[in-house]
Amino acid sequence: MEKKGPNKTDDPQPEIGRLVVVSNRLPMTLTKERSGWESSRSTGGLATAMDPLLERNGGIWIGWSGESSAKGDPKRQQVLDEWREKENCIAVDLPPEIVKGYYEGFSNATLWFLFHSFPGLFDFTTNNWRDYVRANEIFRDAVVKELQPGDLVWIHDYQLMLLPQMIREAVPDARIGFFLHIPFPSSDVFRVLPRRDEVLKGLLGADYISFHTHRYLQNFRSSLLRVNGIRSSMDRISLGSRQIRLEAQPIGIAPLGFRDILEQEKTKEIISEFRGKYTGVKLLVGVDRMDITKGLPERLRAFRRFLVKHRRMQGKVTLIQVAVPSRGNVPRYKDLQQEVDELVGQINGRFSTPTWSPIVYMRRSLSQEELAALYAVADAALVTPLRDGQNLVAKEYVACKLDGDGVLILSEFAGAAAEMGEAIQINPYDEDRTADAIVRALNMPIDEKRDRMAALYKRVLRNDVFTWGARFVRNTADAAASRKKADAGRPQRLPKAQIAAAYEEASKRLILLDYDGTLVGYSQRAQDAIPPPELKTLLFGVAADPRNTVVIVSGRAKSDLERWFAKIPNLWLAAEHGAVMLRPAEKEWTSSHPNVPDNWKKEVFEVLEHFADRTPGSYVEEKEFSLVWHYRMSDPEFGEWLANELNSTLDELLADTQLRAIQGRKNVEVKLIWANKADVLAQMTHDEPDFDFMLAAGDDTTDEDLFEKMGPDTWTVHVGSQNTVARYRLRDHNEMLELLATLSGTPIPAKAKTVKATG
Ligand code: ADQ
């Protein structure tokens, strides 16, 4: 990535183009009052980040109005039209019959719980999933309708995880970024999700995917590998020649906005009112949505434990807990509300005195002034979610502690913990130690408090929400630009009419065909990928043409190729990447490098076997000129990890030898440098230099050696979608068979087409 100076984020960025923000909800709220329809624009949350970007780039915001019941009411429509005109907000109308399944169902009863690592709480129904798909399609249609060339689409959060791919299919060239506001769970938990592969595929339509933390990013990568078998590196996924950029970039807040609020007279009044009321009492503050993930009962129990364990603190500490009602019509949330109400009542009933209550409990939303004042006076903040994507309250508290006199007690399971190391971090499930952490916070020397707070404040200031937003759009634009560049360099689809004409005209043709992945699909076990009889018929037909020299050039051992193909007249076989050849009508294999010593094998075998012992499902194959460690049947993540380790071990071991380690499709092969497919081409053209049609087809890295050596007027065909130097590409082995059938005039036998099992 291009390095940019720290001040560059505020520069005008013409290449960003118009921004199209897409989120489940618009920043507008529609309510039906007696007097008619009312609407208001929210200022906090996501709008804080999006508004300046939208202003600068002249963009639009697409989302659900949150209200679907009165569609068709002309007065309501009038409000929505005004949103479009004056606010650049475009309302998506979701039919009421799918809202429940999409929003309350798959989004909030399935994804929300599972992604917050509560597999025991999630519900799944096929109907909810169907509604989720449908709602994403409705969003897609709304976006596609508005999309203009050069737009940059920013999709937010778990309700819209299918949308990136849906838009990609409708508008292949679209520039798309996706940000996940909630955690991405470990792959073990993610795997529990029914329709998990569709969800991942949905995300892969984006150019850029960003998460709050590296942990979530890692979890996503490992899920991709385990669920869809897709490998990735720390910062990107290569999907054939298309690359998707990945990053961990935590959302911030607008700290200076809080500073301004603290300066306002109204806020100052509230602060002095609080101070007057709570003179001599230490204040703890908790501010949350009433959500299961926020750990409210656990926090209250820890506070109760604190009062019991540290009796001297009774009468001297008050917890002000603000909890905005959320998802109140969901039974589990009703239960939570009841549990919290009961705990507050029980604790206050047990410990209160005529002049003091341990908990002040507010079940409502606070104004920005009240909120800032509360943060400012609180001696410590209790931010103790059981799991949280990031948690903005932690950062807001820090932003309001300008004098440094406060302590943040933070759950290690909040995403914010990754960058707020100076907080006192606790495990919210550990009541006893959380209680001790409260004591520690309240007794912390002022110098230590200031040091910790200063470090936290600096980071909150630097990584504010504007920097976050600007960086997101810039990274999406960069990622999309790289995609376009890569697209321009991609091999074109094989022009079938053109190759057929060239074939027809030629009188002496050389056809070099890889086997696995090119003529048949991959199987879990290599020995199962046997050629179907129909494929043999096809090869028989192509090889029978006296103008053709057809060679199967494979990494396979001699025995496999001989068993399968030796009876096909006129077919040449090159095994072990061309180290040995069997000419038509001959019985003996010959090598271009006879009498090569194989004393290297013992040492390398021991290394490979050591890896096989450590990796269930993997094994070592011995061929005449090479040794291969296969791990297709192993745990994919562990397999990839060990393959990398093996490669680096071998790189060192083989540095000064004639051997090289090659990473193949789910295998690592150690072979002699000269044993490569380009050597076959050299042998074939040495004796017969006058071919007037040359075709080479293959699907993996070992075929690239051959493609590189083929001349400019030849046909090099990559089968699949990896990076390649081939000039042309075909989708899969089925298309390859169709090509051979067309060229040779042999009708394609239906059963020759096989399904690609894995890899
Ligand atoms: P939320 O789960 O909503 O967001 P959080 O990050 O804590 O969680 O944000 C809550 C916001 O609501 C804060 O700005 C807070 O000030 C405000 N708020 C809460 N209670 C309030 C009250 N009673 N009165 C007024 N304001 C109140 C999701 C993810 C988070 C992630 C954010 C942003 O679940 O993990 O941090 O998105 O990506």
Side-chain angles (χ1 to χ4, degrees):
M1 196 190 84
E2 188 195 338
K3 276 223 155 81
K4 293 194 165 99
N7 302 325
K8 288 283 175 70
T9 47
D10 289 334
D11 288 353
Q13 292 152 359
E15 82 277 12
I16 301 294
R18 190 178 74 138
L19 182 61
V20 177
V21 175
V22 194
S23 64
N24 170 53
R25 288 295 306 272
L26 280 173
M28 308 295 300
T29 307
L30 187 64
T31 40
K32 186 159 193 191
E33 301 294 334
R34 279 221 190 109
S35 51
W37 291 97
E38 301 250 318
S39 75
S40 56
R41 187 172 183 122
S42 59
T43 45
L46 205 52
T48 315
M50 297 300 110
D51 284 348
L53 286 167
L54 286 168
E55 220 164 274
R56 189 195 300 166
N57 300 291
I60 54 172
W61 194 323
I62 299 176
W64 179 38
S65 65
E67 202 288 331
S68 296
S69 60
K71 198 180 166 197
D73 177 342
K75 295 253 167 61
R76 175 179 176 271
Q77 190 52 46
Q78 207 178 331
V79 178
L80 299 187
D81 290 345
E82 270 174 31
W83 285 6
R84 176 187 277 272
E85 287 299 307
K86 297 191 183 138
E87 308 282 348
N88 288 321
C89 282
I90 288 135
V92 175
D93 260 325
L94 295 175
E97 64 274 13
I98 69 162
V99 166
K100 205 164 164 13
Y102 151 68
Y103 185 63
E104 288 172 29
F106 194 72
S107 295
N108 286 345
T110 309
L111 291 175
W112 179 264
F113 287 123
L114 209 56
F115 276 46
H116 283 88
S117 302
F118 295 110
L121 293 187
F122 92 100
D123 286 330
F124 171 80
T125 69
T126 314
N127 283 348
N128 287 349
W129 165 252
R130 199 197 50 215
D131 291 343
Y132 183 82
V133 175
R134 186 71 201 109
N136 274 254
E137 284 169 351
I138 294 172
F139 269 88
R140 173 202 56 204
D141 295 343
V143 173
V144 169
K145 199 167 148 212
E146 301 296 330
L147 216 54
Q148 297 171 5
D151 281 353
L152 188 146
V153 185
W154 181 349
I155 301 168
H156 290 271
D157 228 0
Y158 64 102
Q159 301 92 348
L160 300 175
M161 290 207 282
L162 305 180
L163 193 55
Q165 181 60 22
M166 286 181 177
I167 297 179
R168 174 76 53 221
E169 280 164 17
V171 186
D173 201 27
R175 301 189 299 159
I176 307 170
F178 180 91
F179 188 84
L180 185 70
H181 287 265
I182 64 173
F184 198 97
S186 81
S187 58
D188 267 352
V189 173
F190 180 75
R191 279 198 302 176
V192 174
L193 177 70
R195 312 306 149 98
R196 58 210 180 165
D197 38 346
E198 280 103 320
V199 167
L200 289 177
K201 277 188 205 136
L203 290 176
L204 294 181
D207 289 305
Y208 174 66
I209 306 174
S210 180
F211 304 86
H212 283 301
T213 71
H214 281 288
R215 165 60 53 205
Y216 306 157
L217 194 159
Q218 282 299 102
N219 289 346
F220 170 68
R221 290 184 51 217
S222 116
S223 300
L224 258 189
L225 185 59
R226 278 164 178 265
V227 174
N228 290 3
I230 296 174
R231 284 159 60 176
S232 57
S233 61
M234 274 302 285
D235 66 345
R236 69 196 61 214
I237 305 164
S238 296
L239 226 52
S241 58
R242 190 162 90 77
Q243 295 218 331
I244 298 161
R245 289 266 303 279
L246 303 174
E247 200 182 34
Q249 177 64 18
I251 193 171
I253 58 162
L256 299 182
F258 276 93
R259 199 170 69 184
D260 292 345
I261 294 170
L262 288 172
E263 291 293 318
Q264 288 169 16
E265 277 315 310
K266 191 169 168 205
T267 317
K268 286 182 181 163
E269 274 167 31
I270 305 173
I271 291 179
S272 56
E273 210 178 300
F274 278 144
R275 291 224 161 102
K277 183 163 167 42
Y278 293 103
T279 315
V281 174
K282 297 268 189 195
L283 287 182
L284 302 173
V285 65
V287 177
D288 305 82
R289 266 189 316 104
M290 179 69 82
D291 195 284
I292 290 164
T293 59
K294 303 290 180 183
L296 284 164
E298 289 75 6
R299 182 183 310 166
L300 293 171
R301 283 196 287 270
F303 184 60
R304 180 176 62 193
R305 180 109 195 96
F306 157 80
L307 292 173
V308 171
K309 202 172 166 189
H310 306 279
R311 300 176 69 83
R312 282 177 299 112
M313 296 286 198
Q314 289 182 19
K316 295 181 189 144
V317 180
T318 290
L319 166 63
I320 300 185
Q321 177 62 57
V322 194
V324 210
S326 178
R327 303 176 196 172
N329 47 354
V330 177
R332 278 204 185 94
Y333 283 73
K334 281 193 188 133
D335 294 347
L336 171 73
Q337 182 122 328
Q338 195 179 342
E339 188 182 1
V340 171
D341 289 356
E342 281 172 11
L343 269 168
V344 171
Q346 194 258 336
I347 295 170
N348 277 345
R350 177 172 167 193
F351 297 99
S352 287
T353 66
T355 53
W356 169 77
S357 284
I359 303 175
V360 173
Y361 176 45
M362 288 180 267
R363 236 170 51 181
R364 67 175 172 89
S365 191
L366 296 190
S367 68
Q368 289 288 294
E369 293 81 9
E370 284 177 305
L371 198 61
L374 195 54
Y375 289 142
V377 296
D379 295 279
L382 277 173
V383 182
T384 58
L386 303 178
R387 189 72 62 167
D388 212 335
Q390 177 64 201
N391 196 297
L392 299 179
V393 172
K395 295 183 172 179
E396 291 167 0
Y397 177 67
V398 169
C400 292
K401 278 290 155 200
L402 295 175
D403 60 0
D405 188 3
V407 180
L408 175 63
I409 299 174
L410 180 60
S411 162
E412 61 187 88
F413 304 124
E419 50 169 341
M420 301 187 93
E422 295 81 3
I424 297 184
Q425 297 206 358
I426 54 103
N427 173 350
Y429 294 96
D430 191 337
E431 255 177 49
D432 202 49
R433 290 198 178 157
T434 305
D436 292 346
I438 297 174
V439 179
R440 189 171 155 216
L442 296 178
N443 291 336
M444 189 179 279
I446 183 69
D447 286 352
E448 185 180 346
K449 285 196 225 180
R450 290 208 170 114
D451 283 354
R452 286 171 181 256
M453 212 34 99
L456 289 170
Y457 187 75
K458 212 166 134 192
R459 227 168 292 127
V460 168
L461 199 61
R462 201 173 48 233
N463 298 331
D464 69 8
V465 71
F466 309 110
T467 311
W468 171 79
R471 184 178 167 127
F472 185 95
V473 288
R474 195 184 61 219
N475 285 350
T476 304
D478 282 353
S482 320
R483 171 174 50 78
K484 284 190 181 165
K485 217 164 131 198
D487 274 353
R490 274 189 91 191
Q492 63 185 97
R493 278 189 63 73
L494 184 69
K496 292 188 186 141
Q498 226 172 307
I499 190 173
Y503 182 89
E504 209 39 58
E505 264 175 35
S507 55
K508 197 169 176 194
R509 312 173 187 125
L510 177 63
I511 300 172
L512 303 164
L513 303 171
D514 169 47
Y515 177 68
D516 293 279
T518 302
L519 298 179
V520 292
Y522 285 94
S523 295
Q524 195 70 0
R525 297 181 323 152
Q527 63 265 39
D528 292 342
I530 52 173
E534 297 78 11
L535 169 61
K536 290 189 186 172
T537 310
L538 191 53
L539 290 172
F540 183 95
V542 185
D545 188 326
R547 288 166 292 183
N548 290 352
T549 302
V550 185
V551 193
I552 303 285
V553 191
S554 167
R556 291 258 179 184
K558 294 190 297 197
S559 52
D560 284 344
L561 298 190
E562 195 166 347
R563 188 168 67 250
W564 295 334
F565 299 119
K567 292 212 178 92
I568 298 180
N570 300 320
L571 189 63
W572 293 61
L573 303 177
E576 300 203 20
H577 310 293
V580 279
M581 301 247 299
L582 185 63
R583 291 173 163 73
E586 285 189 6
K587 291 243 167 340
E588 296 299 320
W589 290 78
T590 52
S591 170
S592 59
H593 294 67
N595 309 322
V596 180
D598 64 359
N599 50 5
W600 58 272
K601 277 189 173 171
K602 188 171 175 298
E603 193 182 354
V604 173
F605 196 89
E606 277 169 15
V607 175
L608 299 192
E609 211 169 41
H610 174 62
F611 278 76
D613 288 344
R614 289 162 70 190
T615 320
S618 76
Y619 63 95
V620 181
E621 179 193 10
E622 178 170 3
K623 297 194 269 190
E624 194 170 336
F625 294 93
S626 73
L627 291 171
V628 196
W629 177 62
H630 292 273
Y631 60 94
R632 185 172 292 279
M633 288 180 293
S634 310
D635 173 280
E637 197 170 2
F638 189 55
E640 290 305 328
W641 181 62
L642 278 188
N644 286 337
E645 197 182 312
L646 175 58
N647 261 326
S648 61
T649 310
L650 290 171
D651 276 351
E652 272 175 45
L653 185 76
L654 309 177
D656 300 321
T657 69
Q658 285 298 298
L659 297 158
R660 285 297 170 265
I662 310 288
Q663 170 98 48
R665 298 272 182 97
K666 302 281 180 187
N667 64 50
V668 176
E669 177 159 16
V670 178
K671 65 182 183 69
L672 291 146
I673 290 174
W674 56 262
N676 71 61
K677 292 183 179 181
D679 197 56
V680 177
L681 176 70
Q683 288 184 57
M684 299 305 295
T685 51
H686 181 263
D687 300 335
E688 310 258 356
D690 53 348
F691 291 106
D692 55 0
F693 174 95
M694 284 166 62
L695 163 68
D699 76 309
D700 74 15
T701 2
T702 60
D703 300 301
E704 297 294 308
D705 296 330
L706 174 55
F707 294 153
E708 266 174 19
K709 288 285 184 294
M710 297 275 288
D713 299 322
T714 61
W715 298 87
T716 47
V717 181
H718 171 74
V719 180
S721 53
Q722 307 297 311
N723 278 329
T724 180
V725 296
R727 287 176 64 198
Y728 305 103
R729 69 189 161 87
L730 286 175
R731 191 181 58 243
D732 57 17
H733 65 280
N734 288 324
E735 259 201 325
M736 185 65 215
L737 298 190
E738 278 164 19
L739 173 73
L740 290 178
T742 313
L743 294 184
S744 63
T746 319
I748 182 139
K751 278 203 240 145
K753 292 193 180 184
T754 54
V755 177
K756 198 162 187 167
T758 46

Short mmCIF file of all heavy atoms in Angstrom, two decimals, residues 135-165:
data_model
loop_
_atom_site.label_atom_id
_atom_site.label_comp_id
_atom_site.label_asym_id
_atom_site.label_seq_id
_atom_site.Cartn_x
_atom_site.Cartn_y
_atom_site.Cartn_z
N ALA A 135 -34.40 -9.38 1.72
CA ALA A 135 -34.15 -7.98 2.12
C ALA A 135 -32.85 -7.49 1.49
O ALA A 135 -32.78 -6.36 0.99
CB ALA A 135 -34.06 -7.89 3.65
N ASN A 136 -31.82 -8.34 1.48
CA ASN A 136 -30.57 -7.94 0.84
C ASN A 136 -30.78 -7.69 -0.66
O ASN A 136 -30.19 -6.78 -1.23
CB ASN A 136 -29.47 -9.00 1.07
CG ASN A 136 -28.72 -8.79 2.39
OD1 ASN A 136 -27.59 -8.35 2.42
ND2 ASN A 136 -29.40 -9.09 3.50
N GLU A 137 -31.66 -8.49 -1.27
CA GLU A 137 -31.94 -8.26 -2.70
C GLU A 137 -32.64 -6.91 -2.91
O GLU A 137 -32.37 -6.21 -3.88
CB GLU A 137 -32.83 -9.38 -3.25
CG GLU A 137 -32.07 -10.67 -3.47
CD GLU A 137 -32.98 -11.87 -3.75
OE1 GLU A 137 -34.23 -11.74 -3.58
OE2 GLU A 137 -32.46 -12.94 -4.11
N ILE A 138 -33.54 -6.59 -1.97
CA ILE A 138 -34.25 -5.31 -2.10
C ILE A 138 -33.25 -4.15 -1.93
O ILE A 138 -33.29 -3.17 -2.67
CB ILE A 138 -35.40 -5.22 -1.07
CG1 ILE A 138 -36.46 -6.26 -1.43
CG2 ILE A 138 -36.01 -3.83 -1.03
CD1 ILE A 138 -37.56 -6.43 -0.41
N PHE A 139 -32.32 -4.31 -1.01
CA PHE A 139 -31.26 -3.30 -0.86
C PHE A 139 -30.44 -3.22 -2.15
O PHE A 139 -30.08 -2.14 -2.60
CB PHE A 139 -30.33 -3.66 0.32
CG PHE A 139 -30.76 -3.04 1.63
CD1 PHE A 139 -31.65 -3.69 2.46
CD2 PHE A 139 -30.28 -1.80 2.01
CE1 PHE A 139 -32.04 -3.13 3.67
CE2 PHE A 139 -30.67 -1.22 3.22
CZ PHE A 139 -31.56 -1.89 4.05
N ARG A 140 -30.11 -4.39 -2.71
CA ARG A 140 -29.33 -4.39 -3.95
C ARG A 140 -30.05 -3.59 -5.03
O ARG A 140 -29.45 -2.74 -5.69
CB ARG A 140 -29.12 -5.82 -4.45
CG ARG A 140 -28.45 -5.88 -5.81
CD ARG A 140 -28.71 -7.18 -6.53
NE ARG A 140 -30.14 -7.44 -6.67
CZ ARG A 140 -30.68 -8.65 -6.83
NH1 ARG A 140 -29.91 -9.71 -6.87
NH2 ARG A 140 -31.98 -8.80 -6.94
N ASP A 141 -31.35 -3.86 -5.19
CA ASP A 141 -32.08 -3.16 -6.25
C ASP A 141 -32.07 -1.65 -6.00
O ASP A 141 -31.93 -0.87 -6.94
CB ASP A 141 -33.52 -3.68 -6.33
CG ASP A 141 -33.55 -5.15 -6.76
OD1 ASP A 141 -32.50 -5.62 -7.28
OD2 ASP A 141 -34.57 -5.82 -6.56
N ALA A 142 -32.21 -1.28 -4.72
CA ALA A 142 -32.22 0.15 -4.40
C ALA A 142 -30.86 0.78 -4.72
O ALA A 142 -30.78 1.87 -5.28
CB ALA A 142 -32.56 0.34 -2.92
N VAL A 143 -29.78 0.05 -4.39
CA VAL A 143 -28.44 0.60 -4.64
C VAL A 143 -28.18 0.68 -6.15
O VAL A 143 -27.74 1.72 -6.66
CB VAL A 143 -27.35 -0.27 -3.95
CG1 VAL A 143 -25.95 0.20 -4.35
CG2 VAL A 143 -27.51 -0.24 -2.44
N VAL A 144 -28.48 -0.41 -6.84
CA VAL A 144 -28.18 -0.46 -8.28
C VAL A 144 -28.94 0.66 -9.01
O VAL A 144 -28.42 1.29 -9.94
CB VAL A 144 -28.54 -1.85 -8.85
CG1 VAL A 144 -28.51 -1.86 -10.37
CG2 VAL A 144 -27.56 -2.89 -8.31
N LYS A 145 -30.15 0.93 -8.55
CA LYS A 145 -30.96 1.99 -9.17
C LYS A 145 -30.29 3.37 -9.03
O LYS A 145 -30.39 4.21 -9.91
CB LYS A 145 -32.33 2.01 -8.48
CG LYS A 145 -33.40 2.69 -9.27
CD LYS A 145 -34.76 2.37 -8.66
CE LYS A 145 -35.67 3.58 -8.88
NZ LYS A 145 -36.63 3.74 -7.81
N GLU A 146 -29.61 3.56 -7.92
CA GLU A 146 -29.02 4.88 -7.65
C GLU A 146 -27.59 5.00 -8.17
O GLU A 146 -27.07 6.11 -8.30
CB GLU A 146 -28.99 5.16 -6.14
CG GLU A 146 -30.33 5.16 -5.45
CD GLU A 146 -31.25 6.26 -5.96
OE1 GLU A 146 -30.74 7.33 -6.37
OE2 GLU A 146 -32.47 6.04 -5.96
N LEU A 147 -26.95 3.86 -8.39
CA LEU A 147 -25.51 3.85 -8.65
C LEU A 147 -25.13 4.57 -9.95
O LEU A 147 -25.76 4.34 -10.99
CB LEU A 147 -25.03 2.39 -8.70
CG LEU A 147 -23.65 2.09 -8.16
CD1 LEU A 147 -23.48 2.60 -6.73
CD2 LEU A 147 -23.40 0.59 -8.19
N GLN A 148 -24.12 5.42 -9.84
CA GLN A 148 -23.60 6.11 -11.03
C GLN A 148 -22.16 5.69 -11.23
O GLN A 148 -21.50 5.32 -10.26
CB GLN A 148 -23.65 7.63 -10.81
CG GLN A 148 -25.05 8.17 -10.63
CD GLN A 148 -25.04 9.63 -10.19
OE1 GLN A 148 -24.00 10.27 -10.10
NE2 GLN A 148 -26.22 10.15 -9.91
N PRO A 149 -21.65 5.77 -12.47
CA PRO A 149 -20.25 5.39 -12.68
C PRO A 149 -19.34 6.22 -11.78
O PRO A 149 -19.57 7.41 -11.60
CB PRO A 149 -20.01 5.72 -14.16
CG PRO A 149 -21.37 5.82 -14.77
CD PRO A 149 -22.32 6.21 -13.69
N GLY A 150 -18.35 5.59 -11.19
CA GLY A 150 -17.40 6.31 -10.33
C GLY A 150 -17.83 6.39 -8.88
O GLY A 150 -17.08 6.89 -8.04
N ASP A 151 -19.01 5.88 -8.53
CA ASP A 151 -19.45 5.89 -7.13
C ASP A 151 -18.62 4.92 -6.30
O ASP A 151 -18.09 3.93 -6.83
CB ASP A 151 -20.92 5.43 -7.03
CG ASP A 151 -21.88 6.55 -7.39
OD1 ASP A 151 -21.41 7.68 -7.58
OD2 ASP A 151 -23.09 6.27 -7.48
N LEU A 152 -18.55 5.20 -5.01
CA LEU A 152 -17.90 4.27 -4.08
C LEU A 152 -18.94 3.85 -3.04
O LEU A 152 -19.53 4.71 -2.38
CB LEU A 152 -16.71 4.97 -3.42
CG LEU A 152 -15.80 4.09 -2.56
CD1 LEU A 152 -14.36 4.58 -2.68
CD2 LEU A 152 -16.22 4.12 -1.11
N VAL A 153 -19.19 2.56 -2.94
CA VAL A 153 -20.25 2.07 -2.07
C VAL A 153 -19.66 1.60 -0.75
O VAL A 153 -18.74 0.77 -0.73
CB VAL A 153 -21.00 0.88 -2.73
CG1 VAL A 153 -22.19 0.46 -1.88
CG2 VAL A 153 -21.45 1.24 -4.13
N TRP A 154 -20.18 2.11 0.36
CA TRP A 154 -19.73 1.68 1.68
C TRP A 154 -20.91 1.00 2.37
O TRP A 154 -21.89 1.66 2.74
CB TRP A 154 -19.22 2.86 2.50
CG TRP A 154 -18.71 2.49 3.86
CD1 TRP A 154 -18.85 1.29 4.49
CD2 TRP A 154 -17.97 3.31 4.77
NE1 TRP A 154 -18.24 1.31 5.72
CE2 TRP A 154 -17.69 2.54 5.92
CE3 TRP A 154 -17.51 4.63 4.71
CZ2 TRP A 154 -16.98 3.06 7.01
CZ3 TRP A 154 -16.81 5.13 5.80
CH2 TRP A 154 -16.54 4.35 6.94
N ILE A 155 -20.78 -0.32 2.55
CA ILE A 155 -21.86 -1.10 3.17
C ILE A 155 -21.51 -1.35 4.64
O ILE A 155 -20.40 -1.76 4.95
CB ILE A 155 -22.02 -2.45 2.44
CG1 ILE A 155 -22.35 -2.20 0.96
CG2 ILE A 155 -23.13 -3.29 3.09
CD1 ILE A 155 -22.24 -3.44 0.10
N HIS A 156 -22.51 -1.12 5.50
CA HIS A 156 -22.28 -1.29 6.94
C HIS A 156 -23.00 -2.52 7.49
O HIS A 156 -24.21 -2.67 7.30
CB HIS A 156 -22.79 -0.08 7.71
CG HIS A 156 -21.95 1.14 7.50
ND1 HIS A 156 -20.86 1.45 8.27
CD2 HIS A 156 -22.03 2.12 6.56
CE1 HIS A 156 -20.32 2.58 7.84
NE2 HIS A 156 -21.00 3.00 6.81
N ASP A 157 -22.25 -3.35 8.15
CA ASP A 157 -22.71 -4.25 9.18
C ASP A 157 -23.47 -5.52 8.79
O ASP A 157 -23.79 -5.75 7.64
CB ASP A 157 -23.52 -3.46 10.21
CG ASP A 157 -23.05 -3.81 11.63
OD1 ASP A 157 -22.13 -4.62 11.74
OD2 ASP A 157 -23.61 -3.28 12.59
N TYR A 158 -23.75 -6.28 9.85
CA TYR A 158 -24.16 -7.68 9.72
C TYR A 158 -25.51 -7.90 9.06
O TYR A 158 -25.81 -8.99 8.60
CB TYR A 158 -24.13 -8.34 11.11
CG TYR A 158 -25.11 -7.76 12.11
CD1 TYR A 158 -26.29 -8.42 12.41
CD2 TYR A 158 -24.87 -6.55 12.75
CE1 TYR A 158 -27.20 -7.90 13.32
CE2 TYR A 158 -25.75 -6.03 13.66
CZ TYR A 158 -26.92 -6.69 13.94
OH TYR A 158 -27.82 -6.18 14.83
N GLN A 159 -26.33 -6.86 9.00
CA GLN A 159 -27.64 -7.05 8.35
C GLN A 159 -27.49 -7.15 6.83
O GLN A 159 -28.39 -7.63 6.16
CB GLN A 159 -28.57 -5.86 8.66
CG GLN A 159 -28.85 -5.62 10.12
CD GLN A 159 -27.84 -4.63 10.73
OE1 GLN A 159 -26.83 -4.30 10.12
NE2 GLN A 159 -28.12 -4.17 11.95
N LEU A 160 -26.35 -6.74 6.31
CA LEU A 160 -26.20 -6.64 4.84
C LEU A 160 -24.99 -7.43 4.33
O LEU A 160 -24.30 -6.98 3.43
CB LEU A 160 -26.08 -5.16 4.45
CG LEU A 160 -27.29 -4.28 4.84
CD1 LEU A 160 -27.03 -2.82 4.53
CD2 LEU A 160 -28.55 -4.75 4.14
N MET A 161 -24.77 -8.59 4.90
CA MET A 161 -23.55 -9.31 4.53
C MET A 161 -23.62 -9.96 3.14
O MET A 161 -22.58 -10.36 2.61
CB MET A 161 -23.21 -10.34 5.60
CG MET A 161 -22.74 -9.66 6.87
SD MET A 161 -21.66 -10.65 7.87
CE MET A 161 -22.81 -11.68 8.60
N LEU A 162 -24.82 -10.09 2.59
CA LEU A 162 -24.90 -10.68 1.25
C LEU A 162 -24.80 -9.60 0.16
O LEU A 162 -24.61 -9.90 -1.01
CB LEU A 162 -26.24 -11.42 1.06
CG LEU A 162 -26.54 -12.49 2.10
CD1 LEU A 162 -27.88 -13.14 1.81
CD2 LEU A 162 -25.45 -13.56 2.09
N LEU A 163 -24.94 -8.37 0.59
CA LEU A 163 -25.05 -7.27 -0.37
C LEU A 163 -23.80 -7.05 -1.24
O LEU A 163 -23.95 -6.81 -2.45
CB LEU A 163 -25.43 -5.99 0.39
CG LEU A 163 -25.89 -4.81 -0.45
CD1 LEU A 163 -27.05 -5.18 -1.36
CD2 LEU A 163 -26.29 -3.64 0.46
N PRO A 164 -22.57 -7.16 -0.69
CA PRO A 164 -21.41 -6.91 -1.57
C PRO A 164 -21.42 -7.79 -2.82
O PRO A 164 -21.27 -7.29 -3.94
CB PRO A 164 -20.21 -7.23 -0.67
CG PRO A 164 -20.71 -6.97 0.72
CD PRO A 164 -22.15 -7.38 0.71
N GLN A 165 -21.65 -9.09 -2.64
CA GLN A 165 -21.61 -9.97 -3.80
C GLN A 165 -22.81 -9.73 -4.72
O GLN A 165 -22.69 -9.79 -5.95
CB GLN A 165 -21.56 -11.44 -3.34
CG GLN A 165 -21.50 -12.47 -4.45
CD GLN A 165 -20.26 -12.31 -5.35
OE1 GLN A 165 -19.25 -11.73 -4.96
NE2 GLN A 165 -20.36 -12.80 -6.57
#
